[in-house]
Amino acid sequence: MIYAVRHGRKTGIFHTWVDCETQVKNFPSAKFKKFKTIKEAHNYLGENLDSTPDQKADDKTTSSLEQSRLQHMKSPVESTKITDFFKSVASIKPEVPVGQQIEVTAGLKEGDQEMITVYTDGSCLGNGRSRAKAGIGVFFGFDDSRNVSEPFRDNPTNQRAELAALIKALEIVGGTERVTIYTDSRYSIDCVLKFSRGWIRNGWKTAKGEPVKNQDLLRTLLDLMRPGVSLIHIRAHTGRTDQHSIGNSQADRLAVEGSNFF
């Protein structure tokens, strides 16, 4: 994907979101969009590439190289798209309106769409032991007053801390904003998007007739899910410097610090 900045600290074309975000974040009335080709980006900036055959060739070559580069770049965000939670439970909870599947955006205003981006993580030192210490981390951005780092004391385990971090993020955002939450907890996402439908039907019992674990937190989380909320799984501890790797790393740091406050 290619980003074009029309109004920001620097204007022009950028090939990564991190570079683009540097120019537009907290910049008054920033204007920018993302495109699939160099030509579209130049047109957005008012730079017509159709004036000469050479420019057309350059654009085609650049676009081809860019597509090749992107195809070989392994993103920390898994390729599978987010499943719309509300579609999976609409038949069980008809009072909940069917939500829209929201395309992942970068957390700032892009065109007419605005979405909050947040990263969550849970930590549990001594997970599975009687003296385990857990914490949650919620990262909205650097120096963001909404960031959270606090201990989690309610029967602390790593899975419960992950769920609690998601709950905290949704409580902070409230019920009106569009939000995409990135988490490295496959367990949490699978509970919400894959298994909750069957659990609700079975009275919160598993297929073996056993009570669903962590259902106290899961019930709370499901109550907070609504149209406008997306959960997306990302890889943990990649050591990279892209937006999602940094966001996950910061959420992990906050969660570990929360564990130490236990």
mmCIF file with all atom_site columns, all heavy atoms in Angstrom, residues 1-4 12-20 35-38 41-42 62-63 65-67 69-70 73:
data_model
loop_
_atom_site.group_PDB
_atom_site.id
_atom_site.type_symbol
_atom_site.label_atom_id
_atom_site.label_alt_id
_atom_site.label_comp_id
_atom_site.label_asym_id
_atom_site.label_entity_id
_atom_site.label_seq_id
_atom_site.pdbx_PDB_ins_code
_atom_site.Cartn_x
_atom_site.Cartn_y
_atom_site.Cartn_z
_atom_site.occupancy
_atom_site.B_iso_or_equiv
_atom_site.pdbx_formal_charge
_atom_site.auth_seq_id
_atom_site.auth_comp_id
_atom_site.auth_asym_id
_atom_site.auth_atom_id
_atom_site.pdbx_PDB_model_num
ATOM 1   N N   . MET A 1 1  ? 0.843  -1.195 0.000   1.00 0.00 ? 1  MET A N   1
ATOM 2   C CA  . MET A 1 1  ? 0.000  0.000  0.000   1.00 0.00 ? 1  MET A CA  1
ATOM 3   C C   . MET A 1 1  ? 0.883  1.252  0.000   1.00 0.00 ? 1  MET A C   1
ATOM 4   O O   . MET A 1 1  ? 1.946  1.276  0.600   1.00 0.00 ? 1  MET A O   1
ATOM 5   C CB  . MET A 1 1  ? -0.905 -0.005 1.229   1.00 0.00 ? 1  MET A CB  1
ATOM 6   C CG  . MET A 1 1  ? -2.084 0.924  1.099   1.00 0.00 ? 1  MET A CG  1
ATOM 7   S SD  . MET A 1 1  ? -3.237 0.447  -0.200  1.00 0.00 ? 1  MET A SD  1
ATOM 8   C CE  . MET A 1 1  ? -3.849 -1.109 0.418   1.00 0.00 ? 1  MET A CE  1
ATOM 9   N N   . ILE A 1 2  ? 0.431  2.273  -0.701  1.00 0.00 ? 2  ILE A N   1
ATOM 10  C CA  . ILE A 1 2  ? 1.178  3.525  -0.833  1.00 0.00 ? 2  ILE A CA  1
ATOM 11  C C   . ILE A 1 2  ? 0.379  4.649  -0.194  1.00 0.00 ? 2  ILE A C   1
ATOM 12  O O   . ILE A 1 2  ? -0.847 4.720  -0.354  1.00 0.00 ? 2  ILE A O   1
ATOM 13  C CB  . ILE A 1 2  ? 1.440  3.841  -2.319  1.00 0.00 ? 2  ILE A CB  1
ATOM 14  C CG1 . ILE A 1 2  ? 2.275  2.714  -2.938  1.00 0.00 ? 2  ILE A CG1 1
ATOM 15  C CG2 . ILE A 1 2  ? 2.158  5.175  -2.484  1.00 0.00 ? 2  ILE A CG2 1
ATOM 16  C CD1 . ILE A 1 2  ? 2.289  2.744  -4.438  1.00 0.00 ? 2  ILE A CD1 1
ATOM 17  N N   . TYR A 1 3  ? 1.048  5.536  0.519   1.00 0.00 ? 3  TYR A N   1
ATOM 18  C CA  . TYR A 1 3  ? 0.374  6.632  1.213   1.00 0.00 ? 3  TYR A CA  1
ATOM 19  C C   . TYR A 1 3  ? 0.792  7.962  0.604   1.00 0.00 ? 3  TYR A C   1
ATOM 20  O O   . TYR A 1 3  ? 1.984  8.192  0.354   1.00 0.00 ? 3  TYR A O   1
ATOM 21  C CB  . TYR A 1 3  ? 0.724  6.616  2.703   1.00 0.00 ? 3  TYR A CB  1
ATOM 22  C CG  . TYR A 1 3  ? 0.325  5.331  3.392   1.00 0.00 ? 3  TYR A CG  1
ATOM 23  C CD1 . TYR A 1 3  ? 1.189  4.232  3.405   1.00 0.00 ? 3  TYR A CD1 1
ATOM 24  C CD2 . TYR A 1 3  ? -0.900 5.217  4.025   1.00 0.00 ? 3  TYR A CD2 1
ATOM 25  C CE1 . TYR A 1 3  ? 0.824  3.053  4.019   1.00 0.00 ? 3  TYR A CE1 1
ATOM 26  C CE2 . TYR A 1 3  ? -1.269 4.032  4.646   1.00 0.00 ? 3  TYR A CE2 1
ATOM 27  C CZ  . TYR A 1 3  ? -0.398 2.960  4.643   1.00 0.00 ? 3  TYR A CZ  1
ATOM 28  O OH  . TYR A 1 3  ? -0.753 1.785  5.254   1.00 0.00 ? 3  TYR A OH  1
ATOM 29  N N   . ALA A 1 4  ? -0.190 8.822  0.373   1.00 0.00 ? 4  ALA A N   1
ATOM 30  C CA  . ALA A 1 4  ? 0.074  10.156 -0.145  1.00 0.00 ? 4  ALA A CA  1
ATOM 31  C C   . ALA A 1 4  ? -0.389 11.195 0.872   1.00 0.00 ? 4  ALA A C   1
ATOM 32  O O   . ALA A 1 4  ? -1.521 11.150 1.341   1.00 0.00 ? 4  ALA A O   1
ATOM 33  C CB  . ALA A 1 4  ? -0.646 10.366 -1.478  1.00 0.00 ? 4  ALA A CB  1
ATOM 34  N N   . GLY A 1 12 ? 3.907  14.499 0.116   1.00 0.00 ? 12 GLY A N   1
ATOM 35  C CA  . GLY A 1 12 ? 4.520  13.603 -0.852  1.00 0.00 ? 12 GLY A CA  1
ATOM 36  C C   . GLY A 1 12 ? 4.021  12.181 -0.690  1.00 0.00 ? 12 GLY A C   1
ATOM 37  O O   . GLY A 1 12 ? 2.963  11.943 -0.095  1.00 0.00 ? 12 GLY A O   1
ATOM 38  N N   . ILE A 1 13 ? 4.774  11.239 -1.204  1.00 0.00 ? 13 ILE A N   1
ATOM 39  C CA  . ILE A 1 13 ? 4.397  9.826  -1.225  1.00 0.00 ? 13 ILE A CA  1
ATOM 40  C C   . ILE A 1 13 ? 5.300  9.040  -0.278  1.00 0.00 ? 13 ILE A C   1
ATOM 41  O O   . ILE A 1 13 ? 6.525  9.219  -0.278  1.00 0.00 ? 13 ILE A O   1
ATOM 42  C CB  . ILE A 1 13 ? 4.487  9.265  -2.650  1.00 0.00 ? 13 ILE A CB  1
ATOM 43  C CG1 . ILE A 1 13 ? 3.429  9.946  -3.529  1.00 0.00 ? 13 ILE A CG1 1
ATOM 44  C CG2 . ILE A 1 13 ? 4.295  7.749  -2.663  1.00 0.00 ? 13 ILE A CG2 1
ATOM 45  C CD1 . ILE A 1 13 ? 3.503  9.586  -4.978  1.00 0.00 ? 13 ILE A CD1 1
ATOM 46  N N   . PHE A 1 14 ? 4.677  8.163  0.507   1.00 0.00 ? 14 PHE A N   1
ATOM 47  C CA  . PHE A 1 14 ? 5.402  7.350  1.476   1.00 0.00 ? 14 PHE A CA  1
ATOM 48  C C   . PHE A 1 14 ? 4.996  5.890  1.297   1.00 0.00 ? 14 PHE A C   1
ATOM 49  O O   . PHE A 1 14 ? 3.843  5.580  1.022   1.00 0.00 ? 14 PHE A O   1
ATOM 50  C CB  . PHE A 1 14 ? 5.114  7.822  2.905   1.00 0.00 ? 14 PHE A CB  1
ATOM 51  C CG  . PHE A 1 14 ? 5.476  9.262  3.129   1.00 0.00 ? 14 PHE A CG  1
ATOM 52  C CD1 . PHE A 1 14 ? 4.564  10.267 2.850   1.00 0.00 ? 14 PHE A CD1 1
ATOM 53  C CD2 . PHE A 1 14 ? 6.723  9.606  3.605   1.00 0.00 ? 14 PHE A CD2 1
ATOM 54  C CE1 . PHE A 1 14 ? 4.897  11.600 3.034   1.00 0.00 ? 14 PHE A CE1 1
ATOM 55  C CE2 . PHE A 1 14 ? 7.066  10.941 3.798   1.00 0.00 ? 14 PHE A CE2 1
ATOM 56  C CZ  . PHE A 1 14 ? 6.149  11.940 3.509   1.00 0.00 ? 14 PHE A CZ  1
ATOM 57  N N   . HIS A 1 15 ? 5.948  4.996  1.500   1.00 0.00 ? 15 HIS A N   1
ATOM 58  C CA  . HIS A 1 15 ? 5.709  3.579  1.211   1.00 0.00 ? 15 HIS A CA  1
ATOM 59  C C   . HIS A 1 15 ? 5.396  2.740  2.445   1.00 0.00 ? 15 HIS A C   1
ATOM 60  O O   . HIS A 1 15 ? 5.122  1.551  2.328   1.00 0.00 ? 15 HIS A O   1
ATOM 61  C CB  . HIS A 1 15 ? 6.912  2.989  0.474   1.00 0.00 ? 15 HIS A CB  1
ATOM 62  C CG  . HIS A 1 15 ? 7.099  3.561  -0.899  1.00 0.00 ? 15 HIS A CG  1
ATOM 63  N ND1 . HIS A 1 15 ? 6.465  3.056  -2.009  1.00 0.00 ? 15 HIS A ND1 1
ATOM 64  C CD2 . HIS A 1 15 ? 7.832  4.618  -1.337  1.00 0.00 ? 15 HIS A CD2 1
ATOM 65  C CE1 . HIS A 1 15 ? 6.794  3.760  -3.073  1.00 0.00 ? 15 HIS A CE1 1
ATOM 66  N NE2 . HIS A 1 15 ? 7.624  4.723  -2.691  1.00 0.00 ? 15 HIS A NE2 1
ATOM 67  N N   . THR A 1 16 ? 5.439  3.331  3.617   1.00 0.00 ? 16 THR A N   1
ATOM 68  C CA  . THR A 1 16 ? 5.050  2.616  4.842   1.00 0.00 ? 16 THR A CA  1
ATOM 69  C C   . THR A 1 16 ? 4.158  3.520  5.678   1.00 0.00 ? 16 THR A C   1
ATOM 70  O O   . THR A 1 16 ? 4.261  4.750  5.615   1.00 0.00 ? 16 THR A O   1
ATOM 71  C CB  . THR A 1 16 ? 6.271  2.208  5.689   1.00 0.00 ? 16 THR A CB  1
ATOM 72  O OG1 . THR A 1 16 ? 6.899  3.381  6.228   1.00 0.00 ? 16 THR A OG1 1
ATOM 73  C CG2 . THR A 1 16 ? 7.276  1.418  4.850   1.00 0.00 ? 16 THR A CG2 1
ATOM 74  N N   . TRP A 1 17 ? 3.285  2.894  6.484   1.00 0.00 ? 17 TRP A N   1
ATOM 75  C CA  . TRP A 1 17 ? 2.410  3.689  7.340   1.00 0.00 ? 17 TRP A CA  1
ATOM 76  C C   . TRP A 1 17 ? 3.211  4.437  8.402   1.00 0.00 ? 17 TRP A C   1
ATOM 77  O O   . TRP A 1 17 ? 2.876  5.563  8.783   1.00 0.00 ? 17 TRP A O   1
ATOM 78  C CB  . TRP A 1 17 ? 1.360  2.811  8.008   1.00 0.00 ? 17 TRP A CB  1
ATOM 79  C CG  . TRP A 1 17 ? 0.678  3.540  9.120   1.00 0.00 ? 17 TRP A CG  1
ATOM 80  C CD1 . TRP A 1 17 ? 0.715  3.279  10.448  1.00 0.00 ? 17 TRP A CD1 1
ATOM 81  C CD2 . TRP A 1 17 ? -0.136 4.723  8.990   1.00 0.00 ? 17 TRP A CD2 1
ATOM 82  N NE1 . TRP A 1 17 ? 0.002  4.206  11.156  1.00 0.00 ? 17 TRP A NE1 1
ATOM 83  C CE2 . TRP A 1 17 ? -0.523 5.097  10.291  1.00 0.00 ? 17 TRP A CE2 1
ATOM 84  C CE3 . TRP A 1 17 ? -0.544 5.491  7.904   1.00 0.00 ? 17 TRP A CE3 1
ATOM 85  C CZ2 . TRP A 1 17 ? -1.322 6.215  10.521  1.00 0.00 ? 17 TRP A CZ2 1
ATOM 86  C CZ3 . TRP A 1 17 ? -1.345 6.604  8.145   1.00 0.00 ? 17 TRP A CZ3 1
ATOM 87  C CH2 . TRP A 1 17 ? -1.711 6.944  9.437   1.00 0.00 ? 17 TRP A CH2 1
ATOM 88  N N   . VAL A 1 18 ? 4.277  3.836  8.895   1.00 0.00 ? 18 VAL A N   1
ATOM 89  C CA  . VAL A 1 18 ? 5.081  4.502  9.924   1.00 0.00 ? 18 VAL A CA  1
ATOM 90  C C   . VAL A 1 18 ? 5.608  5.835  9.410   1.00 0.00 ? 18 VAL A C   1
ATOM 91  O O   . VAL A 1 18 ? 5.548  6.855  10.108  1.00 0.00 ? 18 VAL A O   1
ATOM 92  C CB  . VAL A 1 18 ? 6.247  3.590  10.358  1.00 0.00 ? 18 VAL A CB  1
ATOM 93  C CG1 . VAL A 1 18 ? 7.166  4.339  11.322  1.00 0.00 ? 18 VAL A CG1 1
ATOM 94  C CG2 . VAL A 1 18 ? 5.718  2.334  11.025  1.00 0.00 ? 18 VAL A CG2 1
ATOM 95  N N   . ASP A 1 19 ? 6.098  5.851  8.166   1.00 0.00 ? 19 ASP A N   1
ATOM 96  C CA  . ASP A 1 19 ? 6.603  7.098  7.594   1.00 0.00 ? 19 ASP A CA  1
ATOM 97  C C   . ASP A 1 19 ? 5.481  8.111  7.400   1.00 0.00 ? 19 ASP A C   1
ATOM 98  O O   . ASP A 1 19 ? 5.654  9.308  7.648   1.00 0.00 ? 19 ASP A O   1
ATOM 99  C CB  . ASP A 1 19 ? 7.278  6.821  6.251   1.00 0.00 ? 19 ASP A CB  1
ATOM 100 C CG  . ASP A 1 19 ? 8.558  6.027  6.396   1.00 0.00 ? 19 ASP A CG  1
ATOM 101 O OD1 . ASP A 1 19 ? 9.145  6.061  7.497   1.00 0.00 ? 19 ASP A OD1 1
ATOM 102 O OD2 . ASP A 1 19 ? 8.966  5.382  5.427   1.00 0.00 ? 19 ASP A OD2 1
ATOM 103 N N   . CYS A 1 20 ? 4.330  7.615  6.942   1.00 0.00 ? 20 CYS A N   1
ATOM 104 C CA  . CYS A 1 20 ? 3.195  8.514  6.727   1.00 0.00 ? 20 CYS A CA  1
ATOM 105 C C   . CYS A 1 20 ? 2.683  9.083  8.047   1.00 0.00 ? 20 CYS A C   1
ATOM 106 O O   . CYS A 1 20 ? 2.417  10.276 8.164   1.00 0.00 ? 20 CYS A O   1
ATOM 107 C CB  . CYS A 1 20 ? 2.079  7.757  6.003   1.00 0.00 ? 20 CYS A CB  1
ATOM 108 S SG  . CYS A 1 20 ? 0.573  8.720  5.758   1.00 0.00 ? 20 CYS A SG  1
ATOM 109 N N   . PHE A 1 35 ? -3.221 4.316  -1.282  1.00 0.00 ? 35 PHE A N   1
ATOM 110 C CA  . PHE A 1 35 ? -3.525 3.885  -2.641  1.00 0.00 ? 35 PHE A CA  1
ATOM 111 C C   . PHE A 1 35 ? -2.781 2.593  -2.977  1.00 0.00 ? 35 PHE A C   1
ATOM 112 O O   . PHE A 1 35 ? -1.818 2.231  -2.315  1.00 0.00 ? 35 PHE A O   1
ATOM 113 C CB  . PHE A 1 35 ? -3.129 4.973  -3.654  1.00 0.00 ? 35 PHE A CB  1
ATOM 114 C CG  . PHE A 1 35 ? -3.801 6.290  -3.436  1.00 0.00 ? 35 PHE A CG  1
ATOM 115 C CD1 . PHE A 1 35 ? -3.202 7.271  -2.665  1.00 0.00 ? 35 PHE A CD1 1
ATOM 116 C CD2 . PHE A 1 35 ? -5.044 6.539  -3.978  1.00 0.00 ? 35 PHE A CD2 1
ATOM 117 C CE1 . PHE A 1 35 ? -3.821 8.486  -2.443  1.00 0.00 ? 35 PHE A CE1 1
ATOM 118 C CE2 . PHE A 1 35 ? -5.675 7.756  -3.782  1.00 0.00 ? 35 PHE A CE2 1
ATOM 119 C CZ  . PHE A 1 35 ? -5.064 8.733  -3.011  1.00 0.00 ? 35 PHE A CZ  1
ATOM 120 N N   . LYS A 1 36 ? -3.244 1.938  -4.034  1.00 0.00 ? 36 LYS A N   1
ATOM 121 C CA  . LYS A 1 36 ? -2.608 0.707  -4.479  1.00 0.00 ? 36 LYS A CA  1
ATOM 122 C C   . LYS A 1 36 ? -1.491 0.964  -5.485  1.00 0.00 ? 36 LYS A C   1
ATOM 123 O O   . LYS A 1 36 ? -0.603 0.130  -5.661  1.00 0.00 ? 36 LYS A O   1
ATOM 124 C CB  . LYS A 1 36 ? -3.649 -0.226 -5.099  1.00 0.00 ? 36 LYS A CB  1
ATOM 125 C CG  . LYS A 1 36 ? -4.673 -0.753 -4.099  1.00 0.00 ? 36 LYS A CG  1
ATOM 126 C CD  . LYS A 1 36 ? -5.640 -1.706 -4.771  1.00 0.00 ? 36 LYS A CD  1
ATOM 127 C CE  . LYS A 1 36 ? -6.646 -2.249 -3.771  1.00 0.00 ? 36 LYS A CE  1
ATOM 128 N NZ  . LYS A 1 36 ? -7.618 -3.188 -4.400  1.00 0.00 ? 36 LYS A NZ  1
ATOM 129 N N   . THR A 1 37 ? -1.541 2.101  -6.172  1.00 0.00 ? 37 THR A N   1
ATOM 130 C CA  . THR A 1 37 ? -0.537 2.394  -7.192  1.00 0.00 ? 37 THR A CA  1
ATOM 131 C C   . THR A 1 37 ? 0.045  3.788  -7.009  1.00 0.00 ? 37 THR A C   1
ATOM 132 O O   . THR A 1 37 ? -0.579 4.683  -6.434  1.00 0.00 ? 37 THR A O   1
ATOM 133 C CB  . THR A 1 37 ? -1.135 2.309  -8.616  1.00 0.00 ? 37 THR A CB  1
ATOM 134 O OG1 . THR A 1 37 ? -2.076 3.373  -8.800  1.00 0.00 ? 37 THR A OG1 1
ATOM 135 C CG2 . THR A 1 37 ? -1.826 0.972  -8.834  1.00 0.00 ? 37 THR A CG2 1
ATOM 136 N N   . ILE A 1 38 ? 1.251  3.944  -7.563  1.00 0.00 ? 38 ILE A N   1
ATOM 137 C CA  . ILE A 1 38 ? 1.922  5.237  -7.537  1.00 0.00 ? 38 ILE A CA  1
ATOM 138 C C   . ILE A 1 38 ? 1.107  6.274  -8.303  1.00 0.00 ? 38 ILE A C   1
ATOM 139 O O   . ILE A 1 38 ? 0.991  7.440  -7.899  1.00 0.00 ? 38 ILE A O   1
ATOM 140 C CB  . ILE A 1 38 ? 3.334  5.122  -8.160  1.00 0.00 ? 38 ILE A CB  1
ATOM 141 C CG1 . ILE A 1 38 ? 4.257  4.344  -7.220  1.00 0.00 ? 38 ILE A CG1 1
ATOM 142 C CG2 . ILE A 1 38 ? 3.915  6.488  -8.469  1.00 0.00 ? 38 ILE A CG2 1
ATOM 143 C CD1 . ILE A 1 38 ? 4.697  5.103  -5.999  1.00 0.00 ? 38 ILE A CD1 1
ATOM 144 N N   . ALA A 1 41 ? -1.656 7.758  -6.310  1.00 0.00 ? 41 ALA A N   1
ATOM 145 C CA  . ALA A 1 41 ? -1.124 8.653  -5.280  1.00 0.00 ? 41 ALA A CA  1
ATOM 146 C C   . ALA A 1 41 ? -0.738 9.999  -5.867  1.00 0.00 ? 41 ALA A C   1
ATOM 147 O O   . ALA A 1 41 ? -1.030 11.052 -5.294  1.00 0.00 ? 41 ALA A O   1
ATOM 148 C CB  . ALA A 1 41 ? 0.082  7.992  -4.593  1.00 0.00 ? 41 ALA A CB  1
ATOM 149 N N   . HIS A 1 42 ? -0.075 9.975  -7.036  1.00 0.00 ? 42 HIS A N   1
ATOM 150 C CA  . HIS A 1 42 ? 0.312  11.230 -7.677  1.00 0.00 ? 42 HIS A CA  1
ATOM 151 C C   . HIS A 1 42 ? -0.911 12.030 -8.099  1.00 0.00 ? 42 HIS A C   1
ATOM 152 O O   . HIS A 1 42 ? -0.930 13.267 -7.979  1.00 0.00 ? 42 HIS A O   1
ATOM 153 C CB  . HIS A 1 42 ? 1.193  10.940 -8.891  1.00 0.00 ? 42 HIS A CB  1
ATOM 154 C CG  . HIS A 1 42 ? 2.631  10.716 -8.553  1.00 0.00 ? 42 HIS A CG  1
ATOM 155 N ND1 . HIS A 1 42 ? 3.475  11.731 -8.156  1.00 0.00 ? 42 HIS A ND1 1
ATOM 156 C CD2 . HIS A 1 42 ? 3.371  9.581  -8.515  1.00 0.00 ? 42 HIS A CD2 1
ATOM 157 C CE1 . HIS A 1 42 ? 4.672  11.243 -7.917  1.00 0.00 ? 42 HIS A CE1 1
ATOM 158 N NE2 . HIS A 1 42 ? 4.642  9.937  -8.126  1.00 0.00 ? 42 HIS A NE2 1
ATOM 159 N N   . THR A 1 62 ? 7.429  1.145  -11.430 1.00 0.00 ? 62 THR A N   1
ATOM 160 C CA  . THR A 1 62 ? 7.444  1.388  -9.992  1.00 0.00 ? 62 THR A CA  1
ATOM 161 C C   . THR A 1 62 ? 6.332  0.630  -9.292  1.00 0.00 ? 62 THR A C   1
ATOM 162 O O   . THR A 1 62 ? 6.521  0.042  -8.240  1.00 0.00 ? 62 THR A O   1
ATOM 163 C CB  . THR A 1 62 ? 7.310  2.893  -9.714  1.00 0.00 ? 62 THR A CB  1
ATOM 164 O OG1 . THR A 1 62 ? 8.335  3.577  -10.397 1.00 0.00 ? 62 THR A OG1 1
ATOM 165 C CG2 . THR A 1 62 ? 7.412  3.170  -8.220  1.00 0.00 ? 62 THR A CG2 1
ATOM 166 N N   . SER A 1 63 ? 5.129  0.651  -9.901  1.00 0.00 ? 63 SER A N   1
ATOM 167 C CA  . SER A 1 63 ? 3.999  -0.044 -9.314  1.00 0.00 ? 63 SER A CA  1
ATOM 168 C C   . SER A 1 63 ? 4.272  -1.531 -9.227  1.00 0.00 ? 63 SER A C   1
ATOM 169 O O   . SER A 1 63 ? 3.964  -2.185 -8.231  1.00 0.00 ? 63 SER A O   1
ATOM 170 C CB  . SER A 1 63 ? 2.735  0.209  -10.138 1.00 0.00 ? 63 SER A CB  1
ATOM 171 O OG  . SER A 1 63 ? 1.647  -0.502 -9.605  1.00 0.00 ? 63 SER A OG  1
ATOM 172 N N   . LEU A 1 65 ? 7.216  -3.041 -9.069  1.00 0.00 ? 65 LEU A N   1
ATOM 173 C CA  . LEU A 1 65 ? 8.219  -3.283 -8.033  1.00 0.00 ? 65 LEU A CA  1
ATOM 174 C C   . LEU A 1 65 ? 7.612  -3.179 -6.644  1.00 0.00 ? 65 LEU A C   1
ATOM 175 O O   . LEU A 1 65 ? 7.932  -3.956 -5.743  1.00 0.00 ? 65 LEU A O   1
ATOM 176 C CB  . LEU A 1 65 ? 9.364  -2.277 -8.189  1.00 0.00 ? 65 LEU A CB  1
ATOM 177 C CG  . LEU A 1 65 ? 10.250 -2.452 -9.418  1.00 0.00 ? 65 LEU A CG  1
ATOM 178 C CD1 . LEU A 1 65 ? 11.224 -1.281 -9.530  1.00 0.00 ? 65 LEU A CD1 1
ATOM 179 C CD2 . LEU A 1 65 ? 11.010 -3.775 -9.344  1.00 0.00 ? 65 LEU A CD2 1
ATOM 180 N N   . GLU A 1 66 ? 6.728  -2.202 -6.469  1.00 0.00 ? 66 GLU A N   1
ATOM 181 C CA  . GLU A 1 66 ? 6.103  -2.006 -5.174  1.00 0.00 ? 66 GLU A CA  1
ATOM 182 C C   . GLU A 1 66 ? 5.226  -3.199 -4.812  1.00 0.00 ? 66 GLU A C   1
ATOM 183 O O   . GLU A 1 66 ? 5.243  -3.696 -3.689  1.00 0.00 ? 66 GLU A O   1
ATOM 184 C CB  . GLU A 1 66 ? 5.261  -0.728 -5.185  1.00 0.00 ? 66 GLU A CB  1
ATOM 185 C CG  . GLU A 1 66 ? 4.521  -0.465 -3.880  1.00 0.00 ? 66 GLU A CG  1
ATOM 186 C CD  . GLU A 1 66 ? 5.454  -0.188 -2.726  1.00 0.00 ? 66 GLU A CD  1
ATOM 187 O OE1 . GLU A 1 66 ? 6.642  0.098  -2.986  1.00 0.00 ? 66 GLU A OE1 1
ATOM 188 O OE2 . GLU A 1 66 ? 5.020  -0.288 -1.570  1.00 0.00 ? 66 GLU A OE2 1
ATOM 189 N N   . GLN A 1 67 ? 4.456  -3.706 -5.787  1.00 0.00 ? 67 GLN A N   1
ATOM 190 C CA  . GLN A 1 67 ? 3.606  -4.856 -5.526  1.00 0.00 ? 67 GLN A CA  1
ATOM 191 C C   . GLN A 1 67 ? 4.434  -6.076 -5.173  1.00 0.00 ? 67 GLN A C   1
ATOM 192 O O   . GLN A 1 67 ? 4.082  -6.853 -4.296  1.00 0.00 ? 67 GLN A O   1
ATOM 193 C CB  . GLN A 1 67 ? 2.732  -5.136 -6.748  1.00 0.00 ? 67 GLN A CB  1
ATOM 194 C CG  . GLN A 1 67 ? 1.659  -4.083 -6.987  1.00 0.00 ? 67 GLN A CG  1
ATOM 195 C CD  . GLN A 1 67 ? 0.872  -4.357 -8.243  1.00 0.00 ? 67 GLN A CD  1
ATOM 196 O OE1 . GLN A 1 67 ? 1.090  -5.360 -8.903  1.00 0.00 ? 67 GLN A OE1 1
ATOM 197 N NE2 . GLN A 1 67 ? -0.032 -3.456 -8.581  1.00 0.00 ? 67 GLN A NE2 1
ATOM 198 N N   . ARG A 1 69 ? 7.399  -6.042 -3.797  1.00 0.00 ? 69 ARG A N   1
ATOM 199 C CA  . ARG A 1 69 ? 7.957  -5.835 -2.459  1.00 0.00 ? 69 ARG A CA  1
ATOM 200 C C   . ARG A 1 69 ? 6.941  -6.165 -1.379  1.00 0.00 ? 69 ARG A C   1
ATOM 201 O O   . ARG A 1 69 ? 7.240  -6.827 -0.390  1.00 0.00 ? 69 ARG A O   1
ATOM 202 C CB  . ARG A 1 69 ? 8.426  -4.384 -2.306  1.00 0.00 ? 69 ARG A CB  1
ATOM 203 C CG  . ARG A 1 69 ? 9.115  -4.073 -0.986  1.00 0.00 ? 69 ARG A CG  1
ATOM 204 C CD  . ARG A 1 69 ? 9.442  -2.599 -0.888  1.00 0.00 ? 69 ARG A CD  1
ATOM 205 N NE  . ARG A 1 69 ? 8.249  -1.820 -0.706  1.00 0.00 ? 69 ARG A NE  1
ATOM 206 C CZ  . ARG A 1 69 ? 7.671  -1.610 0.477   1.00 0.00 ? 69 ARG A CZ  1
ATOM 207 N NH1 . ARG A 1 69 ? 8.176  -2.147 1.570   1.00 0.00 ? 69 ARG A NH1 1
ATOM 208 N NH2 . ARG A 1 69 ? 6.583  -0.866 0.576   1.00 0.00 ? 69 ARG A NH2 1
ATOM 209 N N   . LEU A 1 70 ? 5.704  -5.719 -1.587  1.00 0.00 ? 70 LEU A N   1
ATOM 210 C CA  . LEU A 1 70 ? 4.665  -5.954 -0.599  1.00 0.00 ? 70 LEU A CA  1
ATOM 211 C C   . LEU A 1 70 ? 4.301  -7.422 -0.494  1.00 0.00 ? 70 LEU A C   1
ATOM 212 O O   . LEU A 1 70 ? 3.993  -7.924 0.582   1.00 0.00 ? 70 LEU A O   1
ATOM 213 C CB  . LEU A 1 70 ? 3.419  -5.128 -0.958  1.00 0.00 ? 70 LEU A CB  1
ATOM 214 C CG  . LEU A 1 70 ? 3.569  -3.622 -0.831  1.00 0.00 ? 70 LEU A CG  1
ATOM 215 C CD1 . LEU A 1 70 ? 2.302  -2.928 -1.320  1.00 0.00 ? 70 LEU A CD1 1
ATOM 216 C CD2 . LEU A 1 70 ? 3.856  -3.236 0.607   1.00 0.00 ? 70 LEU A CD2 1
ATOM 217 N N   . MET A 1 73 ? 6.791  -9.127 1.726   1.00 0.00 ? 73 MET A N   1
ATOM 218 C CA  . MET A 1 73 ? 6.929  -8.612 3.087   1.00 0.00 ? 73 MET A CA  1
ATOM 219 C C   . MET A 1 73 ? 5.949  -9.330 4.003   1.00 0.00 ? 73 MET A C   1
ATOM 220 O O   . MET A 1 73 ? 4.748  -9.319 3.771   1.00 0.00 ? 73 MET A O   1
ATOM 221 C CB  . MET A 1 73 ? 6.648  -7.106 3.126   1.00 0.00 ? 73 MET A CB  1
ATOM 222 C CG  . MET A 1 73 ? 6.784  -6.511 4.519   1.00 0.00 ? 73 MET A CG  1
ATOM 223 S SD  . MET A 1 73 ? 6.366  -4.754 4.526   1.00 0.00 ? 73 MET A SD  1
ATOM 224 C CE  . MET A 1 73 ? 7.733  -4.117 3.566   1.00 0.00 ? 73 MET A CE  1
#
